[in-house]
């Protein structure tokens, strides 16, 4: 058996460790996994309005794993997923501010008025300004098979888990009734009920 691909067409490489962008301590009592599309306005709203409050108020009680899930509905979704995974590899300590700025700047890069190269250049500029990543380093990582493979995991993992919309939140492995339109106090109350 090929341990990398298991013979399944278009199967991403099996990761050496559980995938995702991780925040908090793995020993925290609650595991929260979020499936977010960086190009999705609903994911942006949840990231900008719920996630900061949840992480601030429940930080020590929560291990949060973000799975970037590119979806076909959004402009430059694949490019955004590769951009986030590239910055995660190059400057992991700056990934949260980078994702936040990508969501804040979403209307600037997520438009058909941009060419592919223009959209990627905006993402590279955000990486430079927020994460201190040189544009040349960003472009090299963005074009690498490592960024491609990392960006391919989120959609595949989400599909295996039955995630069909973004954002989707799972608590301790089960899909939770938390969405972009749910306010952060509801997120916090549900999570606290599990402690």
């Amino acid at each position: 058996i090929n341990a990398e691909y298991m013979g399944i067409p278009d199967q991403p490489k099996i990761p050496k460790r559980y995938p995702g962008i991780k925040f908090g301590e793995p020993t925290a009592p609650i595991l929260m996994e979020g499936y977010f599309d960086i190009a999705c306005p609903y994911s942006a709203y949840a990231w900008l309005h719920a996630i900061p409050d949840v992480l601030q108020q429940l930080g020590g009680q929560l291990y949060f794993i973000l799975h970037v899930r590119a979806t076909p509905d959004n402009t430059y979704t694949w490019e955004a997923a590769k951009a986030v995974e590239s910055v995660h590899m190059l400057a992991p300590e700056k990934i949260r501010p980078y994702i936040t700025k990508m969501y804040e700047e979403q209307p600037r890069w997520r438009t058909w008025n941009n060419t592919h190269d223009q959209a990627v250049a905006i993402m590279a500029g955000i990486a430079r300004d927020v994460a201190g990543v040189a544009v040349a380093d960003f472009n090299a990582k963005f074009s690498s098979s490592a960024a491609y493979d990392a960006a391919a995991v989120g959609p595949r993992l989400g599909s295996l888990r039955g995630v069909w919309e973004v954002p989707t939140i799972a608590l301790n492995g089960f899909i939770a009734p938390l969405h972009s339109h749910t306010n952060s106090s509801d997120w916090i109350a549900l999570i606290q009920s599990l402690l």
Side-chain angles (χ1 to χ4, degrees):
I1 291 179
N2 181 336
E4 287 187 356
Y5 294 101
M6 302 289 289
I8 302 169
D10 299 323
Q11 167 78 18
K13 291 180 181 176
I14 296 172
K16 292 181 180 180
R17 302 287 177 269
Y18 190 77
I21 299 169
K22 299 164 178 92
F23 303 93
E25 293 298 322
T27 56
I30 303 294
L31 169 62
M32 182 172 87
E33 294 181 83
Y35 296 84
F36 284 69
D37 182 347
I38 305 302
C40 168
Y42 300 108
S43 292
Y45 188 86
W47 182 270
L48 296 172
H49 297 282
I51 294 295
D53 292 344
V54 169
L55 294 179
Q56 180 180 356
Q57 291 191 35
L58 299 170
Q61 303 295 314
L62 195 64
Y63 184 45
F64 175 44
I65 302 176
L66 171 68
H67 301 289
V68 178
R69 182 166 164 64
T71 60
D73 304 350
N74 295 305
T75 309
Y76 299 126
T77 185
W78 179 247
E79 292 79 4
K82 284 178 52 184
V84 166
E85 297 295 355
S86 297
V87 171
H88 185 232
M89 289 183 252
L90 294 167
E93 71 286 354
K94 298 287 189 175
I95 193 60
R96 187 171 166 201
Y98 180 71
I99 293 168
T100 298
K101 194 65 170 175
M102 283 285 286
Y103 278 131
E104 290 171 348
E105 296 286 329
Q106 198 182 71
R108 192 163 69 100
W109 58 262
R110 184 190 172 264
T111 173
W112 286 113
N113 292 330
N114 289 326
T115 65
H116 171 271
D117 291 344
Q118 290 169 327
V120 173
I122 292 169
M123 295 172 196
I126 295 170
R128 178 196 60 226
D129 297 344
V130 173
V133 173
V135 170
D137 293 341
F138 175 91
N139 288 335
K141 186 59 74 177
F142 182 88
S143 300
S144 72
S145 62
Y148 180 95
D149 290 343
V153 169
R156 185 58 63 104
L157 183 63
S159 295
L160 292 171
R161 296 265 178 91
V163 173
W164 303 112
E165 61 182 34
V166 288
T168 293
I169 301 296
L171 296 173
N172 294 335
F174 287 81
I175 302 295
L178 301 173
H179 304 283
S180 60
H181 59 276
T182 312
N183 65 48
S184 61
S185 61
D186 292 335
W187 289 49
I188 292 165
L190 177 58
I191 295 165
Q192 284 178 329
S193 76
L194 301 173
L195 293 172

